[in-house]
Amino acid sequence: SSGINAEYGGPTDYQIITQFKLPSSCCADMIPNDACNTATAYKTGCKAQIEHFIASQSTIVIITVCAVVILEIVTMLAACYLRRKELKDIYLVNTPPYSM
């Protein structure tokens, strides 16, 4: 990482700011007033963890979106069928049995 926010690579991103203490959010099990340093910090950065989480959940998201799309199409077809049936029934009731 060449800058503070260059890659969100982990504890090494803070070397420019401080040499001794990292933010407490960088360490998993913090004891109050204990220093968080590169030895006790998470090894991967937030960006990598978020990218991994999204990639691991993408299959579930894709399946859910496809299921909703299929449900919408089936609902639309059912509505068209029912409306057509209703119109057909109306015209059958209002027409005389014999046309002269």
Side-chain angles (χ1 to χ4, degrees):
S1 298
S2 60
I4 296 172
N5 294 323
E7 292 290 329
Y8 305 104
T12 56
D13 287 343
Y14 288 96
Q15 287 177 346
I16 295 172
I17 299 172
T18 179
Q19 296 291 328
F20 306 105
K21 186 177 178 185
L22 297 172
S24 60
S25 61
C26 290
C27 292
D29 299 319
M30 282 295 298
I31 300 169
N33 298 326
D34 193 17
C36 179
N37 54 37
T38 55
T40 59
Y42 291 114
K43 301 303 177 206
T44 57
C46 295
K47 182 180 178 186
Q49 289 293 88
I50 291 172
E51 287 174 348
H52 174 71
F53 176 76
I54 290 172
S56 69
Q57 301 301 317
S58 64
T59 304
I60 294 171
V61 171
I62 290 170
I63 290 171
T64 304
V65 168
C66 289
V68 169
V69 167
I70 290 170
L71 181 65
E72 288 287 331
I73 291 171
V74 168
T75 304
M76 193 170 38
L77 292 173
C80 290
Y81 170 76
L82 291 173
R83 180 64 179 155
R84 184 174 179 195
K85 185 175 187 260
E86 180 185 29
L87 289 174
K88 186 178 176 183
D89 290 345
I90 290 171
Y91 287 126
L92 286 177
V93 170
N94 292 333
T95 57
Y98 302 105
S99 59
M100 293 187 178

